[in-house]
Amino acid sequence: MSEKVEPSDTIDKIPNATDAVHDNDFNDKVSLQDVARQLGATVEEVIEARDRGSSLSHEEIRQLAERIVRSHAHDPNFPSAALERIQTFLMDTDQAGNTKLDARTYHELRIQIALLTSNSPYAEVRAVVNARDDPSLPVATIRAWTIGLFFVVVLAFVNQLFSVRQPSIGLDAVVAQLLSYPLGKAAEKFLPDVGVTLFGVRHSLNPGPFNQKEHMLISIMASVGKVLPSSRYIIFTQWLDVYFGQPYAKSFLYQIALALSTNLMGYGLAGLTRRFLVYPSFCIWPRSLVTIALNSALHKDDNHSVIGPWNKVWTISRYRFFMACFAGMFVYFWFPDYIFTALSLFNWIAWIQPNNFTLTAITGSKKGLGFNPLPTFDWNIIAHSIDPLQVPFHVTANFVSGTLIGAVFIIGIYWTNTWNTAYLPINSNTMYNHFGGSYNVSKILDSKGWLVEAQYQAYSPVYLAASSLTMYYFFFAAYAATISYAYFFHADDIKLGFRSLIRGWNSSWSDDFQDIHSRLMSVYREVPEWWYAIFNVIAIGLGCAAVAGYPTYTNVGVVFFGIALALVFVLPTGIIKATTGIEVEYNVLAEFIGGAWMPGNALAMNFFKCFGYVTTAHALDFANDLKLAHYVKIPPRQTFWAQVIATIVSAFVCTGVMNFQITSIPDLCSSYVFKRKDPLIVLS
C-alpha cells in the first residue's frame, strides 16, 4: 500500500523546466496561498495546475500562452493582469526556452498558463462551475419532468394572469429553483424505486439522490415557462373593442399559431448559434452564473475558504451565506415596500423645496431625471435596469456613464424647448396630443387598424417627451455600435463559429472549442443543427398561416423580416449579452422598418415588432439556458426536449389564461380619466 502524499504548502521546482531558467535565482519557494490569491483560484486548483504544468514542455507552454493571447486579447472579462504577464512571458522567452525571467516568475507563469487552459480562465466561472463531471448521474428522470412541468404551468399561469395588472406581478425562475429543491428531496425520500425499462434505459420514480443536474433541468424548464408569448399584445389589441375590435382574433387556433411561431422560432435560432454563443469560453453569460451559484449552494457540502474584503478569510458555507442573505432581505423588504414606502423612491432632495420645478425635474425619481446620490433604498428599484451583483463592474460603470451622458442630452433638449418638449414632463414614455393629454390612437385609425390621415390632421400630431426623443437617438447609436463592436473585436470568433458550424452540421463535436467544459461535454451526443432548423421551418409555417389565413391586412413578409433581422443582429447582440449580461433590444428598429414598409398600417406595425424584436430576444434567452446546461453538463438532447416541451406547454397555458382575462375581467386595458382642476396646456 503506497503512502498517501499530502500536498505541500509550497510549490516545488518543476523537474523539466528549461535549463535557461536561472535556478540560483529561485531562492524562495512560492506559497500556494500567494499564487492562489494572485490568480483568483483555490489552493486545490493551483495544485492541479502545478501538476499539469510540470508535465508540459516549454514549447507546449508557449503554444498555450499564444492561444490565450489570441483568444482573449480583447476580452473585457479576462483578468488584465494575467494577460499582461503572459504577454511579457512571450516577449521575454524564445522558442528554444531562453528567457529573461527569473526562475520564480517563470515557474508562476507556467502554473498560471496551465490553470487558465486546464480550467476556466475566469475566476467567476471557476467559483461556481465544477470542472469535473459524472456522466452516470440521471438527469431527465420522471420526477424531474414532473416537477419541471408543474412549475412551467404555475409560472406561465401566474405571470400571464397578472401581466395586465399595474404594477404587474411576476414569478421568476429562481422561485421554481428554490421551491423545486425541497420537492425533489421529498421525492428522493418518499417515492419507491419502481419503474419501467424503455429502449434499454430504466426509468424509475426514485433513481437515487436528487442531484444537481436534475435540479438545473427543472430550472431550465421553469426559465422557459416564465417567458410569455409576445403575440399576446397583438391579440389584446385585435380582440378588445377599446383598440381594433376584430372578431377573428377570438380564434384559439389563430392565437396559438402566433404564440408557437414566435417562441419556437427563437428557440430554433438559439440552437443554430451554439458555436458562437454557447461553446466559446469567452461567452460566460454572467447572469447564468448566479443561477448556478444558487444551485451549487443547495447541493454541495464542500466549503472552500476565500479571501474577502479587507483580506479577511471567509469560511462560511454557501448555503449558510445564502440563508443569511435570504432572511435579511425578507425582513428588509417590508420597509421600502410596505412600512415606509418613501424609501422606495427616496426624493429627499425634492422635499427641500417641493414647489421648485427645476429642482424636481432634475432630481425627481418619478417624472424627473433622478439626479440624486441616494435615490432609493429598494433593491427592486436599484436592480430594475441593471443588477450590479450579476454583471461585471465595468458593465455597471459603462451603464452609469451612458445614463449621465443621456441626461445631459435630455436637459439640453428640454430647456431649449426643442420640438415643444418643455410643455411636457421631462421624463415620460407617454405619447401626448397638442393639449398635453395622453394620445388617443383610436381616433386616427379605421376598423382595420389603418391610419386615416384626415382624422390624424383633425385630431393632433404626436408629441414626445425629451427623454423619449433621446432614447430613440441612443437606440440607433447602439445599433450601429453593436455591429461595429462585433466586427472589430470578435470577427475571428464569428469566423471560427461559421467554420465549426459547417464542419459539424451532422451533430459531431468540433475540436475548435477546447476549454474544459467543452471537453467534458464532448462525451454526450450532441443535437444536430438540422433538428433546430426543423423547428425554425415549423415556426415560419405557423407564422405565415396566422398572418395569411386571417384578415390581418398584413403580408407574410413580416415573418421573414423577423428572421432577417434576427440573422443580422443575433450574433452581435448575443456576444454582448454573453460577455456583459446586457441585451440590446430591437423593438425600435422593428417599428421604424415596419412603418416604412407598410405606412399607415398600425396592426402590421405590431406584427413587425413581434417578429422583428421577439425572435432575437427569445433566441438569446434560450441560448442562455443552453449555456446553463453546458456548464452543469446536462446531456444536450435532454436539454433540447425539455426546452421544446416546456415552450409548447407554456404557450398553451398562456393562451388559455389570456382568453380568460379577455372574457372574464371587466374593463380590461381600460383607463379611467379623472377631471383635472388645472387647465390643460395648449401646445403652440
Side-chain angles (χ1 to χ4, degrees), residues 507-526:
S507 84
S508 61
W509 274 97
S510 172
D511 295 334
D512 296 314
F513 308 100
Q514 287 297 313
D515 67 288
I516 180 62
H517 303 296
S518 292
R519 293 199 301 269
L520 291 174
M521 285 294 289
S522 64
V523 303
Y524 300 105
R525 296 177 65 193
E526 187 50 275

Side-chain angles (χ1 to χ4, degrees), residues 586-643:
Y586 294 95
N587 53 322
V588 173
L589 181 61
E591 291 170 355
F592 271 77
I593 295 178
W597 190 341
M598 301 189 70
N601 190 338
L603 183 57
M605 175 75 71
N606 286 348
F607 281 103
F608 272 96
K609 185 173 182 178
C610 181
F611 284 99
Y613 158 63
V614 173
T615 301
T616 303
H618 281 182
L620 297 183
D621 287 338
F622 291 141
N624 180 50
D625 293 336
L626 290 174
K627 188 68 175 186
L628 280 173
H630 187 79
Y631 275 145
V632 185
K633 317 301 179 298
I634 298 176
R637 298 195 175 196
Q638 297 182 16
T639 304
F640 175 85
W641 289 115
Q643 285 187 303

Side-chain angles (χ1 to χ4, degrees), residues 21-40:
V21 177
H22 306 294
D23 293 334
N24 56 347
D25 292 335
F26 195 65
N27 297 322
D28 299 324
K29 292 186 176 181
V30 184
S31 169
L32 288 177
Q33 291 283 0
D34 292 341
V35 175
R37 185 181 298 108
Q38 183 183 73
L39 301 181

Side-chain angles (χ1 to χ4, degrees), residues 32 43 49 88 103 124 174 187 242 354 367 376 392 472 484 487 509 534 567 573 626 654:
L32 288 177
V43 173
T88 301
E124 298 84 356
V174 68
V242 70
K367 290 293 185 180
T376 181
Y472 284 120
S484 59
Y487 176 78
W509 274 97
I534 286 176
L567 290 176
T573 308
L626 290 174
C654 290

Side-chain angles (χ1 to χ4, degrees), residues 180-216:
S180 62
Y181 179 72
L183 290 178
K185 299 302 287 186
E188 169 193 327
K189 183 176 182 180
F190 297 110
L191 290 180
D193 184 11
V194 296
V196 296
T197 300
L198 296 175
F199 305 106
V201 179
R202 185 173 185 270
H203 299 274
S204 172
L205 292 177
N206 190 352
F210 182 63
N211 63 70
Q212 188 175 2
K213 292 187 179 184
E214 288 180 284
H215 195 185
M216 186 55 70

Side-chain angles (χ1 to χ4, degrees), residues 110 175 200 206 228 403 466 664:
R110 288 178 66 98
V175 176
N206 190 352
L228 305 180
T403 302
S664 302

